[in-house]
Amino acid sequence: MTLQNADVHVWSGQEAEDASGAALLAQEKAGRRRKRGQIIASRLLVLVAILGAWEISSRTFVDPFAASMPSLIFDRFLEWLTDGFLLGNLAVTLMESVVGFAIGAVIGISLGLALSFNDAASKVCAPYINALYALPKVTLGPLFVIWFGIAIKMKIVMAAVFVVFLIFYNTWSGARDVDQGLVDSLRLMNANKREIARKVVLPSALVWVFNGLRVSFPLALMGATIGEIIASKRGIGFIVTDSAAQFDTTGVFTAIFTLMFVAVAVDRIIVLTQAHALKWDEASSAL
Amino acid sequence: MTENVSSTAPQPPLIEVDHVSKTYVRDGQLTVAVDDANFSVPAGSVLALVGPSGCGKTTLLNMIAGLLQPTKGSVRYAGSEVTSVNCGAGYMTQHDTLLPWRRVLANVSLPLEIQGLDRRVMLDRAADALREVGLQGFERHFPNQLSGGMRKRVQLARTLVYSPETLLMDEPFGSLDAILKINLQQDLLRLLAKRERDLTVVLVTHDLEEAVTLADTVLVMAGRPARVVHVEQLEDLDRRTRDEGVVALRRLPEFSLHVERLWQSLEAASGSAQPRDGDGRSAAAPALESGRAR
């Protein structure tokens, strides 16, 4: 409160010396709102400019057969939306991603925590984990087809494999990054190892875990779609390959944009959950 | 809490630091952090350790807290050797060790939670401790919503909530501005005076004025490796004067005299680091002996 008043006092010193404090606060608030409005307007402007340029060039000198154009994509979007084709396939991809993500998260978090509490095991496993982390996961696709077939199971495994290492890594680093001062302060209160783990290590790793989850959901989508592109009869990845096989670029773009919307929406959900769960953490709640 | 400093009844020392040395091995090299520290702290008194940064004061405090074990010598607490975490002592560390994800009240009640107290009792006592440090009304705040001074108060409340018999403080008000520092010193003195049971305090600081303000005895540590080079007794600073306030206390001529003497001992130690070693020790030892005898 005092800080805010001081701020106002400094920047409005010359311009409004006789204005009352309340008026200054209102003025400051209005200014902030104006700035926010300007940013949103500019964002929309960028979007309109890009779509406009695309539309115009496709109508003039670029072949729409190769590049499609926003108006066609929008029409196709509405068409697929009304006949249920889009939602049906989206549901499949989302189901694969979410289930794979959940499996990967559970395995990653538990493995990360388990290893962080065991220093020797950490050291022994580190090079192997690094090797698996560095491996381009796409190369596992054909193997998974042999093991799990081409049905939904394979895509779920792909999604899980794409996220598990990142989540594991974040959890592991988070749990090892715990402030030793906090641990010592609990030791001084005569806390045992379990209490320290529960009251210090877990909550402090949570920030990292959430960041890991946030970064890795798009990876789950990626894993699921790649699985679908390798072999499938349903899902957004299927729409992409099927449309491309018919040289239907509009269909490809429609699928891509749909996936993008979904990824952004899920990201917002995770961020809001994070802001709520980590209210105490300024960086998390400011996202 | 002043009584035992001037009382004639022989008080057994609560904390005995018996010829303690601590050597670290770092990158294959030996670093002597503390060399042959030898002193004791009578129950109910306030001892300040002063000295330049990195002179092993914190190491010494960590050994009293039982977080570290001495390489040579021993630390005894209430007659028995400290071999693991010393549970009779509340430790207020230099760094902020409030758990950022817990609200203020939950932070203060944490030590009681670990003791397994009933939830109601626990929260009541935590609220009392917060009131004691003047922070009622901030129970539901998160630590990062508080100022540095308020966080220190929360930490003090958390340290006092389970009524430890000893309070170890490492640069408790080090990072605060001068006015806040005086306010907190004032509060701490008031708190110490008001406690029913005498609290023994070991305070590490590099602020000489803080040491003279709060302590009954000041040990000056200096040199590499660090040794106790000087002992300053402050029994002539009347505690009744202290009740009038820290600012009044600082105006006393005796106050300046003590600060001046601490300064001189530090300067002498740093001016001729090597040759004074023998001197410093032999000068310190008798003073300590007399301090203990009182």
Side-chain angles (χ1 to χ4, degrees):
Chain A
M1 226 35 194
T2 35
L3 195 78
Q4 226 172 2
N5 284 332
D7 275 346
V8 171
H9 199 78
V10 172
W11 67 258
S12 59
Q14 313 97 311
E15 16 176 42
E17 259 175 303
D18 51 347
S20 73
L24 282 174
L25 283 173
Q27 196 182 325
E28 199 264 344
K29 204 173 168 189
R32 236 181 334 184
R33 204 173 297 157
R34 200 166 47 236
K35 217 169 243 171
R36 201 172 151 67
Q38 280 169 358
I39 289 176
I40 291 174
S42 311
R43 283 175 182 167
L44 285 176
L45 209 66
V46 171
L47 182 70
V48 169
I50 292 174
L51 294 183
W54 186 358
E55 184 80 24
I56 290 167
S57 48
S58 286
R59 281 176 190 274
T60 51
F61 58 92
V62 177
D63 183 5
F65 179 74
S68 188
M69 61 176 110
S71 56
L72 286 178
I73 295 168
F74 187 69
D75 287 347
R76 180 69 64 84
F77 182 75
L78 288 184
E79 184 196 325
W80 280 357
L81 204 60
T82 40
D83 69 12
F85 178 68
L86 199 58
L87 288 184
N89 283 296
L90 184 61
V92 172
T93 305
L94 261 184
M95 194 275 276
E96 295 159 355
S97 319
V98 170
V99 174
F101 178 69
I103 293 173
V106 168
I107 295 176
I109 291 173
S110 17
L111 215 63
L113 287 177
L115 269 196
S116 70
F117 289 124
N118 189 335
D119 216 34
S122 275
K123 284 199 178 112
V124 171
C125 297
Y128 305 111
I129 290 162
N130 280 327
L132 284 175
Y133 181 68
L135 175 79
K137 264 58 103 192
V138 192
T139 54
L140 297 173
L143 204 57
F144 289 165
V145 172
I146 300 174
W147 289 349
F148 305 107
I150 57 167
I152 240 166
K153 216 195 299 174
M154 182 264 278
K155 285 98 187 178
I156 291 176
V157 174
M158 278 299 271
V161 165
F162 265 68
V163 300
V164 71
F165 289 101
L166 199 93
I167 294 177
F168 164 79
Y169 239 75
N170 266 279
T171 311
W172 189 42
S173 325
R176 284 158 63 94
D177 179 64
V178 171
D179 184 348
Q180 196 53 43
L182 297 187
V183 173
D184 279 348
S185 74
L186 256 86
R187 276 178 63 204
L188 282 162
M189 297 171 197
N190 209 16
N192 57 31
K193 273 199 159 153
R194 245 187 73 166
E195 282 164 327
I196 290 175
R198 261 213 358 246
K199 294 184 197 299
V200 181
V201 181
L202 286 184
S204 109
L206 211 56
V207 179
W208 291 66
V209 170
F210 260 109
N211 284 329
L213 292 180
R214 189 188 170 191
V215 180
S216 55
F217 187 75
L219 291 181
L221 273 182
M222 197 202 269
T225 350
I226 288 177
E228 288 167 356
I229 288 174
I230 292 173
S232 69
K233 288 221 166 343
R234 281 185 303 170
I236 298 290
F238 163 73
I239 301 183
V240 172
T241 39
D242 194 50
S243 304
Q246 301 166 36
F247 297 101
D248 173 15
T249 47
T250 305
V252 174
F253 277 119
T254 308
I256 290 175
F257 282 123
T258 305
L259 210 52
M260 207 155 85
F261 281 131
V262 168
V264 170
V266 173
D267 182 63
R268 290 321 294 172
I269 293 173
I270 296 179
V271 167
L272 289 178
T273 318
Q274 181 176 14
H276 183 75
L278 307 177
K279 246 184 281 176
W280 54 272
D281 185 47
E282 268 167 3
S284 296
S285 49
L287 282 172
Chain B
M1 64 158 302
T2 54
E3 280 73 23
N4 42 28
V5 174
S6 48
S7 73
T8 43
Q11 276 264 14
L14 182 65
I15 304 168
E16 293 165 277
V17 175
D18 186 9
H19 294 282
V20 162
S21 300
K22 179 72 188 176
T23 309
Y24 289 110
V25 182
R26 221 168 264 153
D27 304 325
Q29 289 211 318
L30 296 178
T31 313
V32 182
V34 177
D35 186 25
D36 198 30
N38 191 32
F39 60 88
S40 59
V41 188
S45 73
V46 180
L47 176 92
L49 293 166
V50 300
S53 306
C55 77
K57 302 180 300 258
T58 302
T59 304
L60 208 44
L61 208 59
N62 282 338
M63 288 191 285
I64 297 173
L67 285 178
L68 289 176
Q69 298 306 317
T71 325
K72 253 189 278 171
S74 66
V75 176
R76 281 191 301 279
Y77 185 85
S80 52
E81 191 168 337
V82 178
T83 50
S84 64
V85 171
N86 182 349
C87 294
Y91 194 169
M92 195 170 152
T93 48
Q94 185 175 5
H95 302 290
D96 194 334
T97 54
L98 296 176
L99 301 180
W101 49 85
R102 281 177 167 241
R103 293 172 196 275
V104 165
L105 191 67
N107 254 299
V108 175
S109 65
L110 182 62
L112 305 176
E113 207 177 302
I114 287 166
Q115 284 176 6
L117 254 67
D118 175 64
R119 195 178 149 73
R120 180 95 52 78
V121 179
M122 183 174 96
L123 293 180
D124 278 354
R125 275 177 60 183
D128 285 345
L130 273 176
R131 204 167 309 126
E132 218 176 355
V133 297
L135 276 183
Q136 61 273 50
F138 289 94
E139 291 85 353
R140 304 273 306 152
H141 283 61
F142 283 110
N144 69 8
Q145 295 172 311
L146 304 180
S147 68
M150 288 160 96
R151 279 208 292 270
K152 287 287 178 199
R153 282 172 202 268
V154 177
Q155 244 178 302
L156 186 61
R158 189 182 73 176
T159 315
L160 293 175
V161 74
Y162 62 102
S163 333
E165 49 186 356
T166 299
L167 184 56
L168 305 176
M169 305 176 100
D170 187 4
E171 304 277 4
F173 314 129
S175 53
L176 303 176
D177 67 68
I179 296 171
L180 250 181
K181 213 172 183 177
I182 289 184
N183 284 340
L184 279 168
Q185 287 166 358
Q186 183 76 69
D187 288 354
L188 182 62
L189 280 177
R190 200 176 298 137
L191 252 164
L192 292 179
K194 166 167 105 178
R195 290 243 139 194
E196 288 155 25
R197 193 155 55 108
D198 281 349
L199 204 60
T200 310
V201 181
V202 181
L203 164 82
V204 159
T205 177
H206 52 229
D207 180 342
L208 300 184
E209 271 152 3
E210 180 165 274
V212 177
T213 304
L214 297 174
D216 303 313
T217 310
V218 181
L219 299 189
V220 180
M221 292 179 71
R224 268 181 196 281
R227 291 192 174 140
V228 177
V229 294
H230 180 78
V231 178
E232 186 81 8
Q233 297 291 350
L234 308 172
E235 70 274 16
D236 56 330
L237 284 175
D238 190 353
R239 290 280 177 165
R240 264 166 299 173
T241 326
R242 293 191 182 196
D243 290 341
E244 283 172 15
V246 169
V247 179
L249 178 79
R250 290 190 173 206
R251 288 209 195 92
L252 293 176
E254 298 96 294
F255 187 93
S256 326
L257 204 73
H258 285 302
V259 174
E260 180 59 29
R261 272 217 290 273
L262 292 176
W263 250 121
Q264 279 167 0
S265 65
L266 270 174
E267 267 183 339
S270 64
S272 49
Q274 292 312 315
R276 269 194 65 88
D277 272 357
D279 263 11
R281 236 194 271 158
S282 55
L288 270 173
E289 237 71 83
S290 66
R292 214 182 295 181
R294 209 160 347 100

